[in-house]
Amino acid sequence: MTLKKKIFIGYGVAFILMGLVVAWAVTNLIALGKASEAILSENYRSILAAENMVDALERQDSAILLIYLGDVNKGTDQFRENEAVFLEWLARAKDNITIQGEAKLVQAIESDYAAYRRQFFTWIDFHDIARRPSPYSSYQESIYPLFAKVRDVCIGLRCLNEETMYTASVKAANVAKHAIWSTSLVAAAALIVALIFSLFLAERIVGPIRRFMEASRKISSGDYAVQVPVETEDELGCLASEFNQMATQLLRYHEMNIEQIISEKNKGEAILSSIEDGLVVFDTQLKITGINPAARQMLGLASAETSSLLCTEIIPDPAVCDLIKNTIETGASPKLPEEQRIIVLSEDERQRHYLFSVTAIRGRDHNLSGIVLLLRDITRLKEVEKLKSEFVMAASHELRTPLTSLGMSVDLLLEHAAQALPEKDRGLLQAAHEGVHRINALVNDLLDLSKIEAGRIEMEFEKVEVSNLFDHVRIIFKSQLDMKETTLTYKVDDNLPKVRADANKITWVLTNLISNALRYVQKGGHIILAAERIGPHIHLSVHDDGLGIPQEYQTRIFHKFVQVKGQEAGGTGLGLAICKEIVRAHGGTIWVESSPGKGSTFIFTLPIGQ
């Protein structure tokens, strides 16, 4: 039997029970109607006939009194009119004989009334009124007893029917009471049966659904061996069969893939364990959800459980945790220059340098699910860089003396002996002069860069007006700008606060950037200096409409000895690296925004003077 048929049968039973209750109520109403109709047809008509006969009889008696009073014609007419009325109602009473004893009373009324009529017509003598006996004695002796007898019988007929009507009304009341109780009992019984049947049917339908729910919960918890018993052949039974088949397939798939999943998990753990870089995974609450052995060693953590630790409990630098928190809030991985992505951790009374990066993890719906912190040990690179800087500084110091002597010798030769030499030799001497000066400039730049990197260069910080810096560099480059027919303008926001800086060092940065712009800008070009406040820093920029810088060089142009291929113009490749170190020493950053063929904009930040 299908589920649809079961529901139809359930509704059918309810409708049948409802029909039984309605039929029983109609039957009781019909019985009550019959009882009321019996009262009307059997008793009320006989009572009405008896009342009217009594009324007609009394009017006839009144007519006799009129005759006694001398109004013979009126009395006789009234007697005959009421005689017709009496006989009419007597005929109706004879036609409505329905109860026991009523026929005998009707016959008595008919016979007594006939005697009453005969006595009246005998009493009346139309030929000789004067010979009539005394009216009163004649009326009392012959007519009134018949009148009283007929009236009493009519009243008896009425009383008989009234008693019968009262008995019938009591019977009707009993029928109504019985109808109420019986209908209530039948309705209650039908309701109980319908309720029991509904509960039974609901249990038959809901029971399998509960088993489906329980089986689904077991499957969601990983128990794929669950089976739902097939107890019926309806749609629920078919669904149970399909569900069991699905659970069997899931079990097979689970058994088939569990080993592969375990293998992949072990492989992933092995890969993470073999990575020398530290990996720490955080959830959106900044709690650790995963960490590899390299990160444990870097952060000095034991092999105990770390899932309850927060970021601030394992990383001493609060800026890193703030950066991770900001990544969780914004959902975007931060973009910081490399020098700001270095943290220093102590290990066995030795400081180690780590380059970190923060990466957001997203799920299938692109919602943020976690953060990965990568720690790369660059201590050895820092040490090598330090050794290299020390070597460069030492070599530069050692080279300055012979270069100075060599430069002076070449200058003396050019000044005193150049005129006596052939043209070819003078050209070689001039080339030697230029080469010595280029090497000397390179050595000076290397010394300056080494001092800045080693922190040996002294900074004289003061509050400086940005407009004064721009005016100073414009005066420095006035002649060069006129020679190349290039315009230099600057834009400074109104009420721009002063910056905290070493004016000479920042002037050097600006002159280096403007010099680079002049080197690559075309004749008749434009250079724009700008300054604006953004947050707690002042952003200074140098924009030109020159050739621009290719994308692949924009991240490396601030490294030492890096020059754009095809755009070399005699520089040492150290100017931008020195600019970067000077700006970093001021607590700022520097970067470039450029598109090939559309010019370049070098931007650096300085703190506001407090």
Side-chain angles (χ1 to χ4, degrees):
M1 184 183 297
T2 63
L3 186 62
K4 180 179 180 181
K5 288 184 178 179
K6 289 182 179 179
I7 297 174
F8 181 76
I9 289 173
Y11 281 115
V13 170
F15 281 124
I16 290 172
L17 292 174
M18 188 185 300
L20 289 175
V21 174
V22 172
W24 185 260
V26 170
T27 302
N28 287 324
L29 288 174
I30 291 173
L32 185 60
K34 288 182 178 180
S36 300
E37 185 179 359
I39 293 173
L40 292 173
S41 62
E42 295 178 2
N43 305 116
Y44 180 72
R45 293 173 185 173
S46 297
I47 292 173
L48 185 61
E51 289 286 346
N52 286 314
M53 284 189 293
V54 171
D55 184 64
L57 189 65
E58 288 178 348
R59 288 180 182 275
Q60 285 179 314
D61 187 62
S62 298
I64 294 173
L65 293 177
L66 287 174
I67 294 173
Y68 282 148
L69 294 175
D71 194 351
V72 177
N73 293 330
K74 185 178 180 180
T76 304
D77 291 339
Q78 182 175 336
F79 185 88
R80 291 187 179 279
E81 287 176 3
N82 286 282
E83 180 184 13
V85 173
F86 185 91
L87 293 175
E88 180 182 355
W89 285 107
L90 179 60
R92 292 186 183 184
K94 290 172 65 177
D95 293 337
N96 194 46
I97 296 174
T98 56
I99 59 177
Q100 186 177 3
E102 191 175 10
K104 185 178 180 180
L105 291 174
V106 171
Q107 290 176 1
I109 291 172
E110 186 177 12
S111 60
D112 291 340
Y113 185 70
Y116 175 72
R117 288 173 60 202
R118 286 192 302 270
Q119 187 62 37
F120 173 76
F121 288 115
T122 302
W123 175 76
I124 239 175
D125 187 359
F126 292 97
H127 300 287
D128 188 2
I129 300 176
R131 290 183 300 169
R132 291 180 182 167
S134 174
Y136 180 75
S137 60
S138 177
Y139 171 76
Q140 289 290 330
E141 294 174 0
S142 59
I143 296 176
Y144 181 75
L146 292 174
F147 162 76
K149 185 177 181 181
V150 174
R151 186 184 62 181
D152 291 341
V153 176
C154 288
I155 292 173
L157 178 64
R158 184 186 65 185
C159 292
L160 177 64
N161 280 278
E162 285 178 350
E163 292 176 0
T164 305
M165 179 181 283
Y166 176 76
T167 304
S169 64
V170 172
K171 181 180 179 182
N174 292 331
V175 170
K177 186 184 295 184
H178 178 267
I180 292 172
W181 282 105
S182 62
T183 303
S184 300
L185 290 175
V186 171
L191 181 62
I192 293 172
V193 172
L195 180 61
I196 294 173
F197 185 79
S198 299
L199 293 175
F200 173 75
L201 183 62
E203 183 62 28
R204 292 282 294 177
I205 296 175
V206 175
I209 297 176
R210 289 201 193 99
R211 288 191 285 273
F212 281 130
M213 294 173 59
E214 184 179 356
S216 299
R217 281 193 291 266
K218 289 183 179 180
I219 289 178
S220 63
S221 63
D223 184 9
Y224 299 101
V226 64
Q227 292 287 304
V228 177
V230 181
E231 299 176 350
T232 59
E233 296 181 357
D234 55 9
E235 288 86 348
L236 292 176
C238 295
L239 180 60
S241 300
E242 295 294 333
F243 185 90
N244 293 336
Q245 186 177 358
M246 178 195 71
T248 303
Q249 293 294 334
L250 287 174
L251 178 61
R252 292 177 182 174
Y253 179 78
H254 177 73
E255 292 174 349
M256 179 177 61
N257 288 277
I258 190 65
E259 294 183 0
Q260 183 179 356
I261 294 172
I262 294 174
S263 176
E264 293 295 330
K265 180 182 178 182
N266 293 334
K267 187 188 297 184
E269 291 178 353
I271 292 173
L272 291 177
S273 299
S274 63
I275 294 176
E276 295 182 356
D277 295 335
L279 287 173
V280 186
V281 182
F282 298 94
D283 60 11
T284 55
Q285 304 298 323
L286 293 180
K287 290 184 179 180
I288 298 176
T289 58
I291 185 170
N292 70 339
R296 289 181 183 274
Q297 183 178 359
M298 293 175 183
L299 299 173
L301 298 176
S303 59
E305 181 66 32
T306 57
S307 59
S308 60
L309 296 178
L310 296 173
C311 176
T312 53
E313 296 175 345
I314 64 169
I315 299 179
D317 191 349
V320 179
C321 294
D322 292 340
L323 191 63
I324 296 174
K325 183 179 179 180
N326 184 62
T327 303
I328 294 173
E329 293 175 352
T330 60
S333 299
K335 294 181 179 180
L336 295 176
E338 186 173 313
E339 60 270 12
Q340 294 186 10
R341 294 192 293 113
I342 297 175
I343 61 174
V344 180
L345 301 177
S346 299
E347 180 182 343
D348 298 333
E349 299 181 355
R350 178 187 177 190
Q351 287 188 337
R352 301 193 68 86
H353 298 263
Y354 297 97
L355 179 67
F356 71 88
S357 62
V358 178
T359 306
I361 305 174
R362 298 188 178 277
R364 290 184 178 180
D365 53 354
H366 300 287
N367 291 330
L368 188 70
S369 59
I371 300 294
V372 175
L373 175 66
L374 175 66
L375 298 173
R376 180 173 298 171
D377 192 349
I378 58 170
T379 305
R380 187 173 180 181
L381 294 177
K382 283 290 184 180
E383 293 175 350
V384 171
E385 186 177 353
K386 182 179 179 182
L387 291 174
K388 182 178 67 175
S389 299
E390 292 175 352
F391 170 76
V392 170
M393 184 180 294
S396 300
H397 275 291
E398 295 297 328
L399 286 174
R400 290 188 77 174
T401 301
L403 282 174
T404 302
S405 300
L406 183 60
M408 291 178 64
S409 299
V410 172
D411 290 341
L412 288 173
L413 287 174
L414 283 174
E415 184 178 354
H416 300 289
Q419 302 299 326
L421 294 175
E423 183 68 25
K424 183 178 181 180
D425 293 338
R426 283 200 304 271
L428 292 174
L429 191 61
Q430 185 65 34
H433 172 75
E434 294 178 357
V436 168
H437 279 280
R438 287 188 63 186
I439 294 175
N440 194 33
L442 176 61
V443 169
N444 288 333
D445 288 345
L446 286 172
L447 281 173
D448 292 338
L449 183 60
S450 300
K451 289 179 182 179
I452 295 172
E453 289 179 342
R456 297 178 183 176
I457 189 170
E458 295 182 358
M459 294 285 181
E460 297 180 0
F461 292 104
E462 58 182 341
K463 295 180 180 179
V464 183
E465 290 281 356
V466 176
S467 57
N468 293 339
L469 295 174
F470 287 172
D471 289 337
H472 184 58
V473 297
R474 185 163 61 176
I475 293 172
I476 293 174
F477 285 96
K478 186 177 185 305
S479 60
Q480 299 181 40
L481 292 169
D482 293 340
M483 290 176 59
K484 205 165 184 179
E485 299 179 3
T486 302
T487 59
L488 175 65
T489 58
Y490 65 84
K491 298 184 296 184
V492 179
D493 288 350
D494 296 335
N495 302 321
L496 189 72
K498 296 180 179 181
V499 296
R500 179 179 178 274
D502 185 327
N504 293 328
K505 300 301 186 297
I506 296 302
T507 300
W508 192 95
V509 172
L510 289 172
T511 56
N512 195 291
L513 295 177
I514 295 173
S515 177
N516 284 342
L518 279 171
R519 189 176 298 134
Y520 298 113
V521 76
Q522 299 296 323
K523 188 175 182 179
H526 300 275
I527 299 175
I528 301 174
L529 303 180
E532 61 176 340
R533 178 175 180 174
I534 299 179
H537 293 85
I538 303 296
H539 286 221
L540 289 81
S541 62
V542 179
H543 172 76
D544 65 75
D545 55 0
L547 299 177
I549 302 172
Q551 187 69 32
E552 62 269 18
Y553 285 96
Q554 293 181 18
T555 58
R556 300 188 296 115
I557 199 170
F558 294 99
H559 296 175
K560 301 173 187 176
F561 306 110
V562 174
Q563 290 181 312
V564 179
K565 187 177 181 181
Q567 297 184 8
E568 294 85 351
T572 62
L574 293 174
L576 292 178
I578 296 174
C579 290
K580 174 183 175 182
E581 295 300 329
I582 291 175
V583 171
R584 187 166 64 175
H586 281 75
T589 57
I590 185 170
W591 68 94
V592 64
E593 297 175 357
S594 178
S595 297
K598 296 183 179 180
S600 304
T601 302
F602 286 86
I603 307 169
F604 65 94
T605 63
L606 293 175
I608 295 175
Q610 301 294 332

